[in-house]
Amino acid sequence: MNILKKRSWAMPERDATPEHVFLNRRQILAGLAGGGALLGTGLGLRPAFAEEDPSAGLYPVKRNPTFTLDRDLTDEEDASTYNNFYEFGSHKQIWQAAQELQIRPWTVTLDGLVDNPQIVDIDKLLSQMPLEERLYRHRCVEAWSMAVPWSGFELSELVKLASPKSNAKYLRFETFHDPSVASGQKQSWYPWPYVEGLTLEEATNELTFMATGVYGKPLAKQFGAPIRLVTPWKYGFKSIKSIVRITFTEERPVSFWEEIQPKEYGFWANVNPSVPHRRWPQDSERLLGTDQRRQTLLYNGYEEQVAGIYKNMKGELLFM
């Protein structure tokens, strides 16, 4: 007899939004957007429909019922209009500036210690990958949080495509670099381009996700179109946006914020409510769109799935 063990972060299926309700809402919103009723008026989901994406016909994708939530999804407009994207500036209403990003043509380079190095076009990649939707928590180091329906595929699928060599231990992620489009990249005190890193074990964990869509549509540009990393047990700055290169390496990468201020931002950046940032506590978080406070969970509630990765690590600052 098979015994089903309930995951620590799962909610009953009856509490999830039914798929037909979600899809019907999307059709209504798309119809409004097509008529121009909301665009540019200051009302409704302005950024979500700023431009038609070539991959729009792929979405919405089927939701994976394994990945559910203990809270309501964040309203799409709230999530779409309160963003960090330092390539375009440091304020939170960055979505308008981010519309300057050109997402086609777009390629992702897989290189380094791999048997199958390649430069793959984003639309070809999307056609090769098993796309699905997952509901994930997202916890920013600034102590705000949201709950998001990401669409995309497990990073492990991309790892298999590259076929890493036996001495590959880390993945180094790099975002685009184009100061003519991204005004924030003209700020010379930042070490552009944005870089992040994971161990190979972290990269192949079942939770580690490459997001190409959100809210049943292709990624809006402020979310990191056309492809971004999602690591829901880590603080949000680890989830690098608008990726153009993934390099497999034997040496641990130095990430963007780690290089700027290593005393505040480490390589691991796992969520821990009992380890404060040097400038603010992490024991609670503000839910985006509601301003309600909620207790922060160890590993953002994904301890069961990821704690084993770090079990035997000593002398590492795992939580900031």
Side-chain angles (χ1 to χ4, degrees):
M1 180 178 68
N2 293 327
I3 299 176
L4 299 178
K5 183 178 180 181
K6 182 179 178 182
R7 296 172 183 264
S8 60
W9 41 264
M11 71 176 181
E13 179 67 22
R14 64 178 180 274
D15 291 342
T17 302
E19 185 173 8
H20 73 277
V21 174
F22 177 80
L23 297 181
N24 184 58
R25 177 176 180 270
R26 178 181 183 268
Q27 291 167 355
I28 292 172
L29 292 171
L32 289 171
L38 299 181
L39 288 175
T41 65
L43 302 173
L45 303 174
R46 299 163 296 179
F49 303 103
E51 179 181 320
E52 184 69 10
D53 187 291
S55 66
L58 298 175
Y59 304 92
V61 296
K62 185 176 178 60
R63 178 176 295 172
N64 186 333
T66 301
F67 302 94
T68 57
L69 292 170
D70 61 348
R71 62 195 70 180
D72 293 334
L73 289 177
T74 301
D75 182 82
E76 183 177 1
E77 185 172 10
D78 290 325
S80 299
T81 56
Y82 190 89
N83 311 97
N84 285 321
F85 206 161
Y86 276 74
E87 283 78 0
F88 295 94
S90 58
H91 58 87
K92 290 295 185 292
Q93 287 70 44
I94 204 67
W95 71 266
Q96 291 171 307
Q99 303 314 306
E100 295 297 319
L101 179 62
Q102 301 300 307
I103 59 173
R104 295 298 190 283
W106 194 278
T107 60
V108 178
T109 298
L110 305 176
D111 63 6
L113 299 175
V114 296
D115 290 327
N116 191 21
Q118 56 189 288
I119 300 174
V120 59
D121 175 77
I122 185 63
D123 293 303
K124 181 179 179 181
L125 181 64
L126 291 174
S127 71
Q128 294 176 324
M129 292 293 120
L131 300 181
E132 63 181 33
E133 182 181 74
R134 295 184 177 187
L135 308 185
Y136 276 166
R137 301 184 189 94
H138 179 94
R139 174 61 158 81
C140 183
V141 73
E142 298 166 339
W144 56 268
S145 66
M146 58 182 180
V148 185
W150 300 110
S151 299
F153 55 91
E154 279 193 24
L155 176 55
S156 62
E157 296 290 337
L158 208 55
V159 172
K160 287 189 290 185
L161 185 65
S163 187
K165 295 180 181 295
S166 60
N167 56 336
K169 297 179 180 178
Y170 299 93
L171 278 68
R172 179 188 183 275
F173 301 83
E174 183 177 313
T175 194
F176 75 96
H177 188 210
D178 187 355
S180 68
V181 169
S183 59
Q185 291 183 333
K186 296 177 182 179
Q187 298 171 342
S188 60
W189 53 87
Y190 287 124
W192 305 112
Y194 199 105
V195 168
E196 260 304 338
L198 295 175
T199 65
L200 186 59
E201 187 175 7
E202 289 176 319
T204 54
N205 183 275
E206 65 171 339
L207 291 178
T208 310
F209 203 60
M210 299 299 289
T212 60
V214 67
Y215 291 98
K217 298 181 290 293
L219 278 180
K221 294 179 180 181
Q222 63 271 25
F223 282 111
I227 186 169
R228 66 170 288 168
L229 178 67
V230 176
T231 51
W233 72 97
K234 294 178 178 287
Y235 290 112
F237 65 84
K238 291 291 292 187
S239 295
I240 182 172
K241 297 180 173 183
S242 303
I243 296 167
V244 299
R245 183 182 297 272
I246 303 175
T247 301
F248 292 73
T249 176
E250 196 170 6
E251 297 182 2
R252 189 162 90 180
V254 177
S255 58
F256 181 84
W257 288 108
E258 184 183 10
E259 183 173 344
I260 293 171
Q261 183 50 271
K263 292 183 179 180
E264 295 188 6
Y265 305 98
F267 174 81
W268 300 103
N270 297 315
V271 175
N272 189 331
S274 65
V275 178
H277 186 275
R278 289 169 65 91
R279 286 179 282 140
W280 53 78
Q282 295 290 356
D283 57 338
S284 68
E285 59 204 59
R286 175 177 60 88
L287 300 182
L288 198 61
T290 68
D291 286 335
Q292 296 177 357
R293 303 297 302 188
R294 190 182 183 103
Q295 182 179 357
T296 295
L297 303 173
L298 182 63
Y299 293 108
N300 204 23
Y302 298 101
E303 180 180 7
E304 179 184 335
Q305 290 71 44
V306 301
I309 298 174
Y310 313 102
K311 185 176 181 180
N312 297 317
M313 292 187 184
K314 297 181 180 179
E316 290 279 0
L317 300 177
L318 297 174
F319 300 107
M320 191 57 65

